[in-house]
Amino acid sequence: MHRTTRQAPSFDLPAGRVIGGKYEVVSHIGHGWEGEVYRIIERATGAVRAAKLFHPNRNIRDHAVLFYARKLERLRDCRMVIQYHHVEQLQVRRSPVTALISEYVEGTRLDRLIAASRGGRLSEFEAMAILHELACGLEELHGMGEYHGDLHAQNILVRRRGIRFDLKLVDFYDRGRGDRRHQKDDLVDCARLLREMTGGPRFTAATRSEHLRYLIGGCRSDVISRRFQSAGDLKHHLETFSWPAS
Ligand SMILES: Nc1ncnc2c1ncn2[C@@H]1O[C@H](COP(=O)(O)OP(=O)(O)O)[C@@H](O)[C@H]1O
Ligand SMILES: [Mg+2]
């Protein structure tokens, strides 16, 4: 579900640059198809926040930023979703740019966590623990009639806490109407993520356990929907499956 096209020109905000009169840029933290994200600090309080600046050509009449803001606001009680604060206008090289101010998430992007792991893959248990967190969060989110729409490893921030993983989702994407279909697509994206966490397509199916292969389902939408009708089904499965006798 990656949105791929040419890279938009970057904003390159320097540290110290003021946003909306009340924030100051600390550093650049990431970028993607739609925008650029900075770690910022509220000058009056020292509170740390994130500002996502939207590329104007991917945010016609503020459609993208308003979609994202409204979605985050509706999902403000879901613990897997970043907290929305407000939108700000700023001028970059004399052009108006809209920024979405949100909670700043301490965490590692899932793709970086995978790359930093031994052999470039997580253990089967870690991967299933992350999948379980995703299933729990999606059950809540889908239960509210919503979907993510662009679930891939760069849009998931992970923090290890004890034996668990805390996940935060960023970058919800507007796929239009048809929530049920988009929720199913979120589940197929979970299967893709599981494949990626366990080594990606370069590891052939034969190197994975039978159970992992069952969960990945060849990343096929028809197979996944037959096995798991909902995120709740996936969660239930992960909480109750039988391990092979050892
Ligand atoms: N609230 C946040 N806190 C910390 N990092 C963030 C936050 N939002 C986004 N990021 C980082 O910035 C990157 C780009 O943000 P994202 O919203 O995915 O932009 P795009 O739509 O351009 O892909 C993400 O991959 C993530 O690493
Ligand atoms: Mg992104």
Side-chain angles (χ1 to χ4, degrees), residues 6 12 14 19 32 34 45 61 74 94 104 108-109 115 134 158 160-161 166 171-172 209 234 240 243:
R6 273 179 302 111
D12 285 330
I19 296 181
E34 195 171 57
T45 61
R61 286 190 291 280
R74 283 198 296 279
R94 295 205 193 88
Y104 168 75
T108 310
R109 259 171 36 189
L134 268 173
V158 185
R160 284 178 191 270
R161 190 192 292 276
D166 276 347
D171 204 11
F172 287 72
S209 70
L234 176 59
T240 54
W243 289 88

Side-chain angles (χ1 to χ4, degrees), residues 21 23 55 65 67 80 84 86 119 125 218:
Y23 297 101
H55 295 299
V65 70
F67 171 84
M80 195 167 65
Y84 166 68
H86 59 97
F125 191 82

Side-chain angles (χ1 to χ4, degrees), residues 29 32-35 37 50 52 102-103 105 109 154-155 170-171:
I29 44 181
W33 185 84
E34 195 171 57
V37 180
K52 175 170 177 174
S102 72
E103 153 193 26
V105 181
R109 259 171 36 189
Q154 285 150 28
N155 288 338
V170 297
D171 204 11

Side-chain angles (χ1 to χ4, degrees), residues 110-177:
L110 180 57
D111 57 321
R112 296 202 174 120
L113 184 81
I114 299 169
S117 303
R118 232 177 64 208
R121 66 199 301 214
L122 300 178
S123 72
E124 181 166 340
F125 191 82
E126 287 172 317
M128 282 199 293
I130 290 178
L131 184 68
H132 178 252
E133 288 296 330
L134 268 173
C136 292
L138 287 179
E139 183 185 33
E140 205 180 352
L141 206 149
H142 290 174
M144 296 174 75
E146 298 287 348
Y147 62 91
H148 184 280
D150 196 24
L151 217 46
H152 58 75
Q154 285 150 28
N155 288 338
I156 302 174
L157 297 164
V158 185
R159 195 156 45 151
R160 284 178 191 270
R161 190 192 292 276
I163 59 164
R164 290 194 42 241
F165 293 90
D166 276 347
L167 305 187
K168 291 283 181 195
L169 301 185
V170 297
D171 204 11
F172 287 72
Y173 187 60
D174 185 0
R175 297 213 171 266
R177 293 158 80 102

